[in-house]
Amino acid sequence: MISIRKIKVEETYNIRKQELRKNMSLPAQFTGDLNDKTLHLGLFDDDILVSIISFMKNDHKNLKGEQYQLRGMATLETYQKKGYGKKLVSRSEELLKEKKVSVIWCNARIIALDFYHKQGYKIIGEEFDIPQIGGHFVMYKRLM
Ligand SMILES: CC(C)(COP(=O)(O)OP(=O)(O)OC[C@H]1O[C@@H](n2cnc3c(N)ncnc32)[C@H](O)[C@@H]1OP(=O)(O)O)[C@@H](O)C(=O)NCCC(=O)NCCS
């Protein structure tokens, strides 16, 4: 059975290390992780945490409205391409809409552009590099 619920930041570290920090010396903890307004959500498949996402109150200089930054989106490799990431993003958008958030944005890795694009996220600006990780684009979606 699939369920989605809020999780503690500590619960994200294992999947972040495996899927977002593979062969990198970057920390699994992000700036803003412990902020009161930060939201961490997890998708469970039969009580196994398989997909994670976090949202931080952070404004992008080229976007207007009440904004949250999506960070740390990852699904465990063996559970990828089963629709779990999509379900998690969709549920997160519902929750953020309830909080009157009007825009979600993220620094999307090149390999994940199509994943976000399929969920209605659009590119803004030029490609930029994040050391150790590689090329990224800012992507955003208006919720209202
Ligand atoms: C990107 C990622 C989060 C996608 O999670 P997922 O649970 O596999 O995604 P889903 O199965 O819900 O995919 C939803 C749709 O996006 C597509 N998709 C998923 N990952 C994709 C990828 N890397 N490239 C292209 N399309 C992708 C799926 O085929 C699916 O398409 P459909 O709706 O037409 O069937 C996952 O591949 C991952 O954790 N990657 C490693 C970490 C990472 O790069 N995170 C993003 C950081 S910005």
Side-chain angles (χ1 to χ4, degrees):
M1 198 188 76
I2 304 299
S3 63
I4 293 175
R5 59 177 183 263
K6 286 184 192 173
I7 56 174
K8 292 184 185 139
V9 64
E10 294 79 15
E11 294 177 85
T12 67
Y13 295 155
N14 194 28
I15 297 180
R16 281 186 185 174
K17 280 181 199 155
Q18 286 185 62
E19 304 303 333
L20 294 162
R21 295 292 183 251
K22 228 180 263 178
N23 307 317
M24 294 174 199
S25 56
L26 298 169
Q29 194 183 75
F30 303 156
T31 308
D33 259 347
L34 304 174
N35 190 301
D36 283 353
K37 290 186 172 166
T38 296
L39 185 67
H40 305 283
L41 292 166
L43 182 147
F44 294 78
D45 182 344
D46 283 341
D47 288 333
I48 301 168
L49 179 61
V50 300
S51 193
I52 54 166
I53 196 167
S54 300
F55 291 92
M56 298 172 190
K57 180 103 193 61
N58 191 15
D59 286 355
H60 188 278
K61 61 182 184 336
N62 295 334
L63 295 168
K64 291 201 171 85
E66 180 67 13
Q67 304 175 27
Y68 264 75
Q69 180 180 4
L70 181 169
R71 294 200 67 188
M73 170 77 240
T75 300
L76 277 178
E77 194 168 354
T78 46
Y79 291 86
Q80 288 175 8
K81 299 276 173 84
K82 291 176 184 285
Y84 290 168
K86 186 176 177 169
K87 279 198 174 72
L88 191 52
V89 170
S90 169
R91 179 69 190 124
S92 306
E93 289 173 358
E94 285 172 12
L95 285 174
L96 291 173
K97 256 189 191 176
E98 286 167 16
K99 290 177 183 284
K100 308 288 177 218
V101 172
S102 52
V103 186
I104 296 173
W105 67 274
C106 64
N107 293 327
R109 297 181 184 197
I110 302 282
I111 57 150
L113 291 180
D114 285 348
F115 168 73
Y116 292 115
H117 184 68
K118 282 187 168 173
Q119 293 173 77
Y121 287 74
K122 293 182 194 152
I123 287 177
I124 179 172
E126 302 298 320
E127 183 179 344
F128 63 97
D129 187 66
I130 297 184
Q132 293 192 52
I133 305 177
H136 286 72
F137 282 91
V138 172
M139 295 187 87
Y140 74 99
K141 181 172 178 177
R142 289 209 167 273
L143 302 180
M144 55 177 77

Coordinates of all heavy atoms in Angstrom, one line a residue, residues 58-98:
N58 N 11.8 30.0 0.4 CA 13.0 30.7 -0.2 C 12.5 31.3 -1.5 O 12.0 30.7 -2.3 CB 14.1 29.6 -0.4 CG 15.4 30.3 -0.8 OD1 15.6 31.5 -0.6 ND2 16.3 29.5 -1.4
D59 N 12.7 32.6 -1.6 CA 12.3 33.3 -2.8 C 13.3 33.3 -3.9 O 14.5 33.6 -3.6 CB 11.9 34.8 -2.4 CG 10.6 34.9 -1.7 OD1 9.9 33.9 -1.5 OD2 10.3 36.0 -1.2
H60 N 12.9 33.1 -5.1 CA 13.8 33.3 -6.3 C 13.6 34.7 -6.8 O 12.5 35.2 -6.9 CB 13.4 32.3 -7.4 CG 14.4 32.3 -8.4 ND1 14.4 33.2 -9.5 CD2 15.5 31.5 -8.6 CE1 15.4 32.9 -10.3 NE2 16.1 31.9 -9.8
K61 N 14.8 35.3 -7.1 CA 14.8 36.7 -7.5 C 13.9 37.0 -8.7 O 13.4 38.2 -8.9 CB 16.2 37.3 -7.6 CG 17.0 36.6 -8.7 CD 18.4 37.3 -8.7 CE 19.4 36.8 -9.8 NZ 19.3 35.6 -10.4
N62 N 13.8 36.1 -9.6 CA 13.0 36.3 -10.8 C 11.6 35.9 -10.8 O 10.9 35.9 -11.8 CB 13.7 35.7 -12.0 CG 15.1 36.3 -12.3 OD1 15.3 37.5 -11.9 ND2 16.0 35.6 -12.8
L63 N 11.1 35.5 -9.6 CA 9.7 35.0 -9.5 C 8.9 35.8 -8.5 O 9.5 36.3 -7.6 CB 9.7 33.5 -9.1 CG 10.3 32.5 -10.1 CD1 10.5 31.2 -9.5 CD2 9.4 32.4 -11.4
K64 N 7.6 35.9 -8.7 CA 6.8 36.7 -7.9 C 5.8 35.9 -7.1 O 5.4 34.8 -7.6 CB 6.1 37.8 -8.7 CG 6.9 38.9 -9.3 CD 6.1 40.1 -9.6 CE 7.0 41.3 -10.0 NZ 7.4 41.3 -11.4
G65 N 5.3 36.3 -6.0 CA 4.3 35.6 -5.2 C 4.9 34.8 -4.1 O 6.1 34.8 -3.9
E66 N 4.0 34.2 -3.3 CA 4.4 33.4 -2.2 C 5.1 32.1 -2.7 O 4.5 31.3 -3.4 CB 3.1 33.0 -1.4 CG 3.3 32.2 -0.2 CD 4.1 32.9 1.0 OE1 4.2 34.1 0.9 OE2 4.5 32.1 1.9
Q67 N 6.4 31.9 -2.3 CA 7.2 30.9 -3.0 C 7.8 29.9 -2.0 O 8.1 30.2 -0.9 CB 8.4 31.5 -3.7 CG 8.0 32.6 -4.7 CD 9.3 33.2 -5.2 OE1 10.3 32.7 -5.3 NE2 9.1 34.5 -5.6
Y68 N 7.9 28.7 -2.5 CA 8.7 27.7 -1.8 C 9.7 27.0 -2.8 O 9.3 26.9 -4.0 CB 7.8 26.6 -1.2 CG 7.5 26.8 0.3 CD1 6.5 27.7 0.7 CD2 8.1 26.1 1.3 CE1 6.2 28.0 2.0 CE2 7.8 26.2 2.6 CZ 6.8 27.2 3.0 OH 6.5 27.4 4.3
Q69 N 10.9 26.7 -2.3 CA 11.8 26.0 -3.1 C 11.7 24.5 -2.9 O 11.8 24.1 -1.7 CB 13.3 26.5 -2.8 CG 14.3 25.7 -3.7 CD 15.8 26.2 -3.4 OE1 16.0 27.0 -2.5 NE2 16.7 25.6 -4.1
L70 N 11.6 23.7 -3.9 CA 11.6 22.3 -3.8 C 13.0 21.8 -3.8 O 13.9 22.2 -4.6 CB 10.9 21.7 -5.1 CG 10.6 20.2 -5.3 CD1 9.7 20.1 -6.5 CD2 11.9 19.5 -5.6
R71 N 13.4 20.9 -2.8 CA 14.8 20.4 -2.8 C 14.7 18.9 -2.4 O 13.7 18.4 -1.9 CB 15.6 21.2 -1.7 CG 15.8 22.6 -2.1 CD 17.0 23.2 -1.3 NE 18.2 22.6 -1.7 CZ 19.4 22.8 -1.1 NH1 19.4 23.6 0.0 NH2 20.5 22.3 -1.5
G72 N 15.8 18.2 -2.7 CA 16.0 16.9 -2.3 C 15.0 15.9 -2.8 O 14.6 15.0 -2.1
M73 N 14.5 16.1 -4.0 CA 13.6 15.1 -4.6 C 14.4 13.9 -5.0 O 15.3 13.9 -5.9 CB 12.9 15.8 -5.9 CG 12.1 14.8 -6.7 SD 10.5 14.5 -6.0 CE 10.6 12.7 -5.8
A74 N 14.0 12.7 -4.5 CA 14.7 11.5 -4.9 C 13.8 10.3 -4.6 O 13.1 10.2 -3.6 CB 16.0 11.4 -4.2
T75 N 13.9 9.3 -5.4 CA 13.3 8.0 -5.2 C 14.4 6.9 -5.2 O 15.3 7.0 -6.1 CB 12.3 7.7 -6.4 OG1 11.3 8.7 -6.4 CG2 11.6 6.3 -6.2
L76 N 14.3 6.0 -4.3 CA 15.3 4.9 -4.3 C 15.4 4.2 -5.7 O 14.3 4.0 -6.3 CB 14.9 3.9 -3.3 CG 15.3 4.1 -1.8 CD1 14.8 3.0 -0.9 CD2 16.8 4.3 -1.6
E77 N 16.6 4.0 -6.1 CA 16.8 3.5 -7.5 C 15.9 2.3 -7.9 O 15.3 2.3 -8.9 CB 18.3 3.1 -7.7 CG 18.6 2.9 -9.1 CD 20.1 2.8 -9.4 OE1 20.9 3.0 -8.4 OE2 20.5 2.5 -10.5
T78 N 15.7 1.4 -7.0 CA 14.9 0.2 -7.3 C 13.4 0.5 -7.4 O 12.7 -0.4 -7.8 CB 15.1 -1.0 -6.3 OG1 15.1 -0.4 -5.0 CG2 16.5 -1.7 -6.5
Y79 N 13.0 1.7 -6.9 CA 11.6 2.0 -6.9 C 11.3 3.1 -8.0 O 10.2 3.6 -8.1 CB 11.2 2.5 -5.6 CG 11.1 1.4 -4.5 CD1 12.2 1.0 -3.8 CD2 9.9 0.7 -4.3 CE1 12.2 0.0 -2.9 CE2 9.9 -0.3 -3.3 CZ 11.0 -0.6 -2.6 OH 10.9 -1.6 -1.7
Q80 N 12.4 3.5 -8.8 CA 12.2 4.6 -9.7 C 11.3 4.1 -10.9 O 11.2 2.9 -11.2 CB 13.5 5.1 -10.3 CG 14.3 5.9 -9.2 CD 15.7 6.3 -9.6 OE1 16.1 6.2 -10.8 NE2 16.4 6.9 -8.7
K81 N 10.7 5.1 -11.6 CA 9.9 4.8 -12.8 C 8.6 4.0 -12.5 O 8.2 3.2 -13.3 CB 10.7 4.2 -13.9 CG 11.9 5.0 -14.4 CD 11.5 6.0 -15.4 CE 12.5 7.0 -15.9 NZ 13.5 6.6 -16.9
K82 N 8.1 4.2 -11.3 CA 6.9 3.5 -10.9 C 5.8 4.5 -10.6 O 4.7 4.2 -10.1 CB 7.1 2.6 -9.6 CG 8.0 1.4 -9.8 CD 8.2 0.7 -8.4 CE 9.1 -0.5 -8.5 NZ 8.5 -1.6 -9.1
G83 N 6.1 5.8 -10.9 CA 5.1 6.8 -10.6 C 5.1 7.4 -9.2 O 4.3 8.2 -8.9
Y84 N 6.1 7.0 -8.4 CA 6.1 7.4 -7.0 C 6.5 8.9 -6.8 O 5.9 9.6 -6.1 CB 7.1 6.5 -6.2 CG 6.6 5.1 -5.9 CD1 7.4 4.1 -5.4 CD2 5.2 4.8 -6.2 CE1 7.0 2.8 -5.2 CE2 4.8 3.5 -6.1 CZ 5.7 2.5 -5.5 OH 5.2 1.2 -5.4
G85 N 7.5 9.3 -7.6 CA 8.0 10.7 -7.5 C 6.9 11.6 -8.0 O 6.6 12.7 -7.3
K86 N 6.2 11.2 -9.0 CA 5.0 12.0 -9.5 C 3.9 12.2 -8.5 O 3.4 13.3 -8.2 CB 4.5 11.3 -10.7 CG 3.5 12.0 -11.5 CD 3.1 11.2 -12.8 CE 2.0 11.7 -13.6 NZ 2.0 11.0 -14.9
K87 N 3.6 11.1 -7.8 CA 2.6 11.1 -6.7 C 3.0 12.0 -5.6 O 2.2 12.8 -5.1 CB 2.4 9.7 -6.1 CG 1.5 8.8 -6.9 CD 1.1 7.6 -6.0 CE 0.1 6.7 -6.7 NZ 0.6 5.9 -7.8
L88 N 4.3 12.0 -5.3 CA 4.8 12.8 -4.1 C 4.8 14.3 -4.5 O 4.4 15.1 -3.7 CB 6.2 12.3 -3.8 CG 6.8 12.9 -2.5 CD1 5.9 12.6 -1.3 CD2 8.2 12.2 -2.3
V89 N 5.2 14.6 -5.7 CA 5.1 16.0 -6.1 C 3.7 16.5 -6.1 O 3.4 17.6 -5.6 CB 5.8 16.2 -7.5 CG1 5.5 17.6 -8.1 CG2 7.3 15.9 -7.4
S90 N 2.8 15.7 -6.7 CA 1.4 16.1 -6.8 C 0.8 16.3 -5.4 O 0.1 17.4 -5.2 CB 0.7 15.0 -7.6 OG -0.7 15.2 -7.5
R91 N 1.0 15.4 -4.5 CA 0.5 15.6 -3.1 C 1.1 16.8 -2.4 O 0.4 17.6 -1.7 CB 0.8 14.3 -2.3 CG 0.3 14.4 -0.9 CD -1.2 14.4 -0.8 NE -1.7 14.7 0.6 CZ -2.6 15.6 0.9 NH1 -3.1 16.4 -0.1 NH2 -2.9 15.9 2.1
S92 N 2.4 17.1 -2.7 CA 3.0 18.2 -2.1 C 2.4 19.5 -2.6 O 2.2 20.5 -1.9 CB 4.5 18.3 -2.5 OG 5.1 17.1 -2.2
E93 N 2.1 19.5 -3.9 CA 1.5 20.7 -4.5 C 0.1 21.0 -3.8 O -0.2 22.2 -3.5 CB 1.3 20.6 -6.0 CG 2.7 20.6 -6.7 CD 2.6 20.2 -8.2 OE1 1.5 19.9 -8.7 OE2 3.7 20.3 -8.8
E94 N -0.6 20.0 -3.5 CA -1.9 20.1 -2.9 C -1.7 20.8 -1.5 O -2.4 21.7 -1.1 CB -2.6 18.8 -2.7 CG -3.2 18.2 -3.9 CD -3.7 16.8 -3.7 OE1 -3.8 16.3 -2.5 OE2 -4.0 16.1 -4.7
L95 N -0.7 20.2 -0.8 CA -0.5 20.8 0.6 C 0.0 22.2 0.6 O -0.5 23.0 1.4 CB 0.6 19.9 1.3 CG 0.2 18.6 1.8 CD1 1.4 17.8 2.3 CD2 -0.8 18.7 2.9
L96 N 0.8 22.6 -0.4 CA 1.3 23.9 -0.5 C 0.2 24.9 -0.9 O 0.2 26.0 -0.5 CB 2.5 24.0 -1.4 CG 3.8 23.3 -0.8 CD1 4.9 23.3 -1.8 CD2 4.3 24.0 0.5
K97 N -0.7 24.4 -1.8 CA -1.8 25.2 -2.2 C -2.7 25.6 -1.0 O -3.1 26.7 -0.8 CB -2.7 24.5 -3.2 CG -2.5 24.9 -4.6 CD -3.6 24.2 -5.4 CE -3.4 24.4 -6.9 NZ -4.3 23.6 -7.7
E98 N -2.8 24.6 -0.1 CA -3.6 24.9 1.1 C -3.0 25.9 2.0 O -3.6 26.7 2.7 CB -3.8 23.6 2.0 CG -4.7 22.6 1.4 CD -4.6 21.2 2.0 OE1 -4.0 21.1 3.1 OE2 -5.2 20.2 1.4

